Amino acid sequence: MLEKENLIKLARVQMPFGKYAGRVLIDLPEEYLLWFDKKGFPRGELGDLLKLCLALQIEGLDTLVKPLKNGTMH
């Protein structure tokens, strides 16, 4: 869901595992998210956030989330 809380999570939660472990979710490459789309997203909140992240990147809306990384947007 496109809720402010989820957008903030995309900007601040780090990928907990894999090739891009430690990278903030919104900074994950689209190709990596497309790979999950093909292979299956993780279950639970992380999977939901990754799906949202991919949808935003496809629509070119990830730039709206990036300012939230440092808390400049309220």
Side-chain angles (χ1 to χ4, degrees):
M1 284 194 176
L2 198 58
E3 295 176 6
K4 184 177 179 183
E5 180 184 325
N6 288 336
L7 297 178
I8 291 170
K9 286 180 182 178
L10 286 180
R12 299 190 183 161
V13 171
Q14 294 181 353
M15 188 66 186
F17 61 83
K19 183 177 182 177
Y20 295 101
R23 189 178 288 195
V24 177
L25 297 181
I26 198 62
D27 290 339
L28 293 172
E30 189 173 328
E31 302 79 39
Y32 187 60
L33 297 170
L34 288 169
W35 179 83
F36 271 116
D37 193 38
K38 228 188 273 184
K39 297 289 184 180
F41 287 97
R43 292 177 188 216
E45 185 180 36
L46 178 62
D48 292 342
L49 289 172
L50 291 174
K51 288 177 198 170
L52 176 59
C53 191
L54 177 59
L56 290 173
Q57 286 191 11
I58 287 172
E59 296 298 326
L61 298 175
D62 52 313
T63 54
L64 297 175
V65 176
K66 293 190 180 198
L68 298 172
K69 287 193 331 192
N70 56 13
T72 56
M73 207 168 149
H74 299 283

